[in-house]
Every structure is written in C-alpha cells, then in structure tokens.
Amino acid sequence: MGHLYSMASEVAARIQKICDRKVDLCVILGSGLGAFVDCLEDKVVIPYSDIEGFPRSGVHGHAGNLVFGRLHGQDLVVMQGRIHYYECGDIKLVTLPVRILHCLGCTRMIVTNAAGAANAAFDAGELMLITDHINFMQASSPLVGENDDRFGPRFPDMSEAYNKVMSEALRQSAKDLGIKLQEGVYCAFHGPEYETPAEVRLAQVLGADAVGMSTVPEVLVANHMGMKVAGISCLTNKAAGLSESKLSHDEVMETGRQAAADFVKLLAEGIRRFQ
C-alpha cells in the first residue's frame, strides 16, 4: 500500500504544477454525463493523457479530462470520465484517481453513473439518489492488502457510505427544482457484459433498485480516507428482464443525453447547497 500513497502523491504534485487551485469537492461523471462541465466557470481542462500516471478510460462517453472550475463561487475538480474494472482488471488502478483527488485536498465527493433500473417502478430517464450499495463486482476489494494508515484505518466503517447531509441537499434540490428523484440501492457488477435477467432478479431479492458497473470501488476508497460521499445514478434503461428491448451502450448514451438537463441542474443546485 505504501507505493500507492507515493504514486497518488506524485501524480497529485504533477497536477498541481499545471493547476494549483485549492479544491475540497470533486465530482466523478459517468457515461454520457460529461455535459456538467459546461456550467463551470474559469475552467482548466487537463486531458488524462497529459498527466503521467493518471489512469485513462477508453470507453465511449468518457471524455477523459480532469476539469478544474468554479461553480457558485466554489472551486471544484471534475473527472470527466472514469476507468472501469472491466477495462484493466486492476481494482487498485480503478480507485487510484480517488486517492489522487484526496491528495489534491478533496474531502467531499459526488459520484455519478449510468445505471439500469432494477426497480420495476423506476423508468429510463429518471435520476436516482444512491442511498446504499451492494458489491457484486466479484473483484477483490480495493482495500485488500497491507493497509497504509496515511490513507485510513484497517477496518473502515461503511454504515453511512453515502453522507446523509450531502444526500439531503440533493433531495431538497430536486424538490425545489421540480425534478423527480428516485432513491434506492445501487448494485455493482464488474461487467462488461450486461446482467442477465436471473442476475437482476437476484439483485432485486437483495434489495437493489439499480445495477451498474462502477462507483462502488470508488466509494469504498473514499470512505476509507474519510471523504464524505453522495451519489446519483442516471437510469438509462430498464435492467435485463424488465423490458423487451435489447441492452446497448448506444441506448445508455442517448438516454443520458436526454436526461442531461435535469442532471446538470440537480448537481449544480446541490453543490450550491453544500457550501
């Protein structure tokens, strides 16, 4: 674990040489949700490819930029896209960006994703506040191995993985904006194949309302480091077995674009209330 601390610190130092803004809040944008950066002021856009040691995503819909900006007078940094476990097979590499963001000074994180609606009462195009999660990624936890106390404790508490105060700010923002915001449990599979109908039924039995292929490793690592987290899923499709449609990434992208306006408004208003 010691080499991870050194690696994260070194990459953070490289970023600070390009942009030395002090940031406390970070946002991770999921598939098709990159339009949020358009509402930021005083942007500094750094492609991941320009940052030695920063993991890069090759998935369509993930622009691959680290974007510093200001919103409602608050400085923040946004990951416009993420790397997934199914791309690299290395769970510690997947979560390295969160450790880098922490080294940059971030103590709060909003994590977002595109997800399938496993709750039959939820519809494609709706947004869901993540209240808890289930880890079905079949990958080793990013916290397995020697613990580095500089990051966090050996046995981090996960009883409030998604911070209640930040979540309430998003909940009230949706109410005031007139945006329908579902709430539920997000279940992570490692992908890249979509879940089978039987797997979705299993997730439903365990209480899942949405299924996807990301987010949980990042939330685990953020909690390990004492960061406060809130999460939003954009429900881009009905999960397998809940509709007659075949699942496709193009559908995920298109529905994400359609929901982008509400997503951006909700995220921006929530961030205003975080201050």
Side-chain angles (χ1 to χ4, degrees), residues 205-219:
V205 168
L206 295 177
D209 298 287
V211 293
M213 306 175 190
S214 66
T215 301
V216 169
E218 295 152 332
V219 173

Side-chain angles (χ1 to χ4, degrees), residues 104-149:
L104 286 173
C106 292
T107 63
R108 299 176 296 163
M109 180 175 80
I110 305 173
V111 63
T112 73
N113 58 57
N119 188 322
F122 294 177
D123 291 321
E126 294 180 338
L127 302 176
M128 186 190 87
L129 180 70
I130 304 175
T131 57
D132 208 342
H133 69 234
I134 300 169
N135 189 4
F136 268 6
M137 293 194 74
Q138 301 172 358
S140 176
S141 166
L143 305 182
V144 166
E146 181 184 356
N147 188 65
D148 191 326
D149 293 337

